[in-house]
Amino acid sequence: MKILPVLLCFLFISTFISPALSGRCNPQDKKVLLKIKKALGNPYLLASWDPKTACCDWYCLECHPDTHRVISLTLFTDNELTGKIPAEVGDLPYLETLLFRHLPNLNGTIPPAIAKLKNLKTLWLSWTNLSGPVPEFITQLKNLTYLNLSFNNLTGSIPSSLSTLPNLEALRLDRNKLTGSIPESFGRFPSRSLYLFFLSHNKLSGTIPASLANMDFNTIDLSRNMLEGDPSVLFGKNKTTFDIDLSRNMFQFDLSKLQFPKSLARLDLNHNKITGSIPARLTELDLQFMNVSYNRLCGKIPVGGRLQSFDYSTFFHNRCLCGAPLDSCK
Ligand SMILES: *[C@@H]1O[C@H](CO)[C@@H](O)[C@H](O)[C@H]1NC(C)=O
Ligand SMILES: *[C@@H]1O[C@H](CO)[C@@H](O)[C@H](O)[C@H]1NC(C)=O
Ligand SMILES: *[C@@H]1O[C@H](CO)[C@@H](O)[C@H](O)[C@H]1NC(C)=O
Ligand SMILES: *[C@@H]1O[C@H](CO)[C@@H](O)[C@H](O)[C@H]1NC(C)=O
Ligand SMILES: *[C@@H]1O[C@H](CO)[C@@H](O)[C@H](O)[C@H]1NC(C)=O
Ligand SMILES: *[C@@H]1O[C@H](CO)[C@@H](O)[C@H](O)[C@H]1NC(C)=O
Ligand SMILES: *[C@@H]1O[C@H](CO)[C@@H](O)[C@H](O)[C@H]1NC(C)=O
């Protein structure tokens, strides 16, 4: 008796839903997808891309429920996929998401054809062997909200024009080999409040542009670069920043003069050249994580807030810090 509803459901799906909805496929999109498959050397990952079936049923992509145009292409986790990003991806005009991730043998540069994807909102190319620059032509993608080019082999400097992207909300360029400085224009992103601003694990140098005082990032990671000077424009009472990681750079400033956003929960400043003392203002924050080790700080660690809940490695390797959780002051 229990079999009947299951059977009915199956019949219903196969008779009505399947041919009517998922069966569709735009012929132009299908032609392009088959070219992409061929350009990638017919990888096993795309075995479901069979010319005899409707392309909206194929794996690694998604069609719009009404128009049946391909809106998402997501290829990930495949060691066999070899070659470069096929220029044909630029011929899927309704694409909103393009993702190539964990493809260690994907190489070459980011193809200019991507600039044709005027509806693109998410461009996520990570953990590949892509090389060459972060291309200027990305700024033609006016609908882009999410740009993640982390974990590649990209070189050159960061294009200052990225700040003209009107809808950008997240920028991840971390873990590449980028050089040069952080563009001054990055204080003028139209959205003013990117939730991710990650440039860590590169070879960036120079100082933090003063213009960044205008921005209010939720999470900032600039760690493991060669940045120097005073980054205090990233801080400020009026910001709503949650997490700041500036560790392993060459920043040099007086910590006691810094104003902190009330929202700050994570602060990593380890391995810099920071001077001064730990300000009592830090006891007013609800900090979940802090690390100021390997700097040039001095004086008594203020008592209060969460400061004594951290272990000694939060504070060790400074010039003359003392008091709990370090040894008491003489
Ligand atoms: C990435 O490309 C470089 C040459 O540009 C090559 O030496 C290296 O082996 C490649 N890495 C992988 C994981 O294929
Ligand atoms: C990409 O990898 C292929 C095969 O490993 C190699 O022949 C080609 O030279 C590489 N191209 C670049 C730009 O590194
Ligand atoms: C992209 O932006 C244009 C112009 O603002 C808009 O007309 C279009 O609907 C957007 N595309 C998507 C997929 O949101
Ligand atoms: C960006 O790419 C990295 C590497 O694939 C991934 O770990 C991360 O979740 C991605 N997205 C965001 C929002 O960080
Ligand atoms: C980047 O290229 C170097 C050689 O130039 C290679 O050893 C390394 O594996 C590449 N990185 C990634 C993430 O593929
Ligand atoms: C912070 O906000 C207050 C109220 O909006 C404003 O008066 C003050 O000038 C702001 N301070 C800074 C440093 O932006
Ligand atoms: C702080 O950073 C140092 C240096 O990387 C590390 O050795 C230590 O374990 C860290 N401590 C905490 C609490 O993260």
Side-chain angles (χ1 to χ4, degrees):
M1 289 304 278
K2 276 188 181 152
I3 289 169
L4 193 60
V6 175
L7 254 183
L8 274 176
C9 179
F10 179 75
L11 274 177
F12 177 77
I13 287 171
S14 59
T15 331
F16 298 98
I17 297 196
S18 176
L21 284 179
S22 60
R24 297 279 184 82
C25 177
N26 178 279
Q28 187 53 36
D29 286 351
K30 186 175 194 171
K31 212 191 299 174
V32 171
L33 290 166
L34 290 170
K35 278 190 199 161
I36 291 172
K37 180 180 178 180
K38 188 166 171 233
L40 291 171
N42 296 312
Y44 180 69
L45 182 68
L46 304 181
S48 69
W49 292 20
D50 175 351
K52 293 197 288 290
T53 60
C55 65
C56 292
D57 288 338
W58 297 352
Y59 291 168
C60 307
L61 59 83
E62 195 189 322
C63 291
H64 190 280
D66 302 326
T67 63
H68 310 288
R69 299 301 302 243
V70 175
I71 54 169
S72 159
L73 182 62
T74 61
L75 307 188
F76 56 93
T77 321
D78 189 86
N79 288 335
E80 282 155 24
L81 195 145
T82 307
K84 40 189 195 153
I85 298 178
E88 287 85 355
V89 297
D91 300 325
L92 295 169
Y94 292 90
L95 220 51
E96 293 176 26
T97 299
L98 181 63
L99 181 155
F100 284 83
R101 185 166 69 97
H102 276 110
L103 305 168
N105 293 309
L106 186 76
N107 67 0
T109 57
I110 301 174
I114 285 179
K116 291 193 277 180
L117 300 172
K118 298 298 180 212
N119 289 305
L120 208 61
K121 292 176 180 169
T122 296
L123 180 59
W124 181 351
L125 312 172
S126 279
W127 226 299
T128 72
N129 210 357
L130 286 172
S131 55
V134 174
E136 288 267 358
F137 57 71
I138 287 178
T139 59
Q140 293 171 35
L141 303 172
K142 298 299 180 203
N143 284 324
L144 208 61
T145 59
Y146 177 91
L147 179 60
N148 189 348
L149 303 178
S150 62
F151 291 92
N152 293 301
N153 250 335
L154 303 177
T155 51
S157 56
I158 301 174
S160 64
S161 56
L162 286 184
S163 67
T164 63
L165 284 167
N167 297 304
L168 200 66
E169 291 170 7
L171 178 63
R172 283 197 60 163
L173 302 177
D174 51 302
R175 295 182 193 255
N176 281 290
K177 294 175 181 165
L178 301 174
T179 49
S181 54
I182 299 175
E184 196 268 334
S185 64
F186 276 19
R188 293 191 295 272
F189 281 100
S191 47
R192 263 205 80 230
S193 58
L194 307 193
Y195 70 88
L196 288 181
F197 183 65
F198 282 18
L199 305 178
S200 69
H201 294 80
N202 277 296
K203 296 173 179 173
L204 300 175
S205 54
T207 56
I208 305 290
S211 59
L212 289 193
N214 301 325
M215 295 297 298
D216 186 11
F217 303 119
N218 181 278
T219 301
I220 302 172
D221 187 356
L222 304 180
S223 64
R224 293 184 193 251
N225 279 292
M226 299 177 297
L227 297 164
E228 57 191 11
D230 181 348
S232 52
V233 290
L234 297 173
F235 295 80
K237 266 184 179 167
N238 284 3
K239 303 207 190 206
T240 58
T241 307
F242 172 78
D243 185 340
I244 302 186
D245 187 350
L246 304 180
S247 64
R248 294 183 191 259
N249 278 287
M250 301 185 300
F251 288 120
Q252 198 162 8
F253 62 103
D254 184 343
L255 186 64
S256 59
K257 298 206 172 119
L258 217 51
Q259 297 285 342
F260 301 97
K262 287 190 189 68
S263 51
L264 195 66
R266 301 180 63 85
L267 177 65
D268 198 342
L269 300 174
N270 85 73
H271 281 97
N272 278 288
K273 298 175 177 175
I274 304 168
T275 56
S277 56
I278 295 186
R281 284 188 293 281
L282 273 178
T283 65
E284 293 157 20
L285 300 179
D286 192 15
L287 285 171
Q288 295 161 16
F289 175 88
M290 173 170 148
N291 197 335
V292 295
S293 67
Y294 293 91
N295 278 295
R296 296 171 181 177
L297 297 165
C298 229
K300 188 173 187 307
I301 297 169
V303 175
R306 307 291 283 273
L307 295 192
Q308 277 65 40
S309 70
F310 301 127
D311 77 51
Y312 74 103
S313 75
T314 294
F315 300 100
F316 71 171
H317 289 280
N318 271 289
R319 196 165 274 166
C320 50
L321 276 182
C322 61
L326 299 180
D327 291 343
S328 55
C329 304
K330 291 196 189 90

